[in-house]
């Protein structure tokens, strides 16, 4: 009987502590830096391009969290895509931008590219995705899609 009572009391105590940990984590997540982009970042369409054309797009965002937003790195899924990002922390309520340049040289057909942002957010990564339809140049011999 004592054993049963001890197990019951232990279970209650541990579950209370667990709820407190979850609440503390939830409250912290609410305050972490957060991207709020001015547009949909998952379906950007550069449209039809002639092979060799270069296009760029600026993705504007605001930090809607309570702590400074620090972008550690931004990487592209292909060497044909070059991102530029702010190296300084973006304060709460402040705005920033990520510039993405796509070079279609040597690319043909439908192109789907991803740019991954690594920052002190939850989750720690955010993906920008874009597409383009690249029309082959008359003298082109290279074909690639990702």
């Amino acid at each position: 009987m004592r054993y049963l009572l001890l197990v019951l009391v232990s279970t209650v105590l541990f579950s209370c502590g667990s709820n407190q940990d979850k609440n503390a984590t939830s409250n912290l997540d609410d305050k972490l830096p957060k991207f709020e982009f001015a547009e949909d970042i998952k379906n950007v369409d550069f449209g039809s391009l002639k092979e060799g054309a270069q296009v760029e797009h600026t993705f504007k965002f605001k930090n809607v969290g309570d702590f400074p937003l620090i972008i550690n790195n931004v990487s592209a899924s292909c060497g044909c895509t070059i991102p530029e990002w702010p190296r300084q922390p973006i304060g709460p309520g402040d705005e920033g931008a990520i510039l993405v340049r796509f070079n279609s040289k040597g690319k043909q057909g439908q192109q789907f590219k991803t740019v991954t942002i690594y920052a002190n957010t939850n989750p720690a990564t955010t993906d920008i995705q874009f597409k383009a339809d690249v029309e082959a140049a008359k003298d082109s011999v290279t074909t690639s899609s990702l």
Side-chain angles (χ1 to χ4, degrees), residues 61-107:
F61 63 86
K62 183 175 184 177
N63 175 8
V64 295
D66 291 343
F67 295 106
L69 172 63
I70 300 170
I71 300 174
N72 302 313
N73 191 23
V74 180
S75 66
S77 61
C78 174
C80 61
T81 304
I82 307 295
E84 293 181 19
W85 66 95
R87 306 293 199 226
Q88 300 300 318
I90 309 295
D94 291 343
E95 297 179 352
I98 297 172
L99 176 68
V100 175
R101 287 191 182 96
F102 172 65
N103 183 348
S104 66
K105 182 178 180 181
K107 304 292 180 191

Side-chain angles (χ1 to χ4, degrees), residues 15-35:
S15 64
C16 288
S18 177
N19 285 339
Q20 289 173 348
D21 290 344
K22 288 178 186 175
N23 288 339
T25 303
S26 176
N27 289 339
L28 180 60
D29 283 348
D30 292 342
K31 295 180 184 230
L32 286 175
K34 290 181 188 71
F35 286 107

Side-chain angles (χ1 to χ4, degrees), residues 45-67:
D45 188 352
F46 284 141
S48 293
L49 309 172
K50 294 282 187 193
E51 182 181 350
Q54 295 184 32
V55 292
E56 63 182 42
H57 188 78
T58 301
F59 296 89
K60 296 178 183 179
F61 63 86
K62 183 175 184 177
N63 175 8
V64 295
D66 291 343
F67 295 106

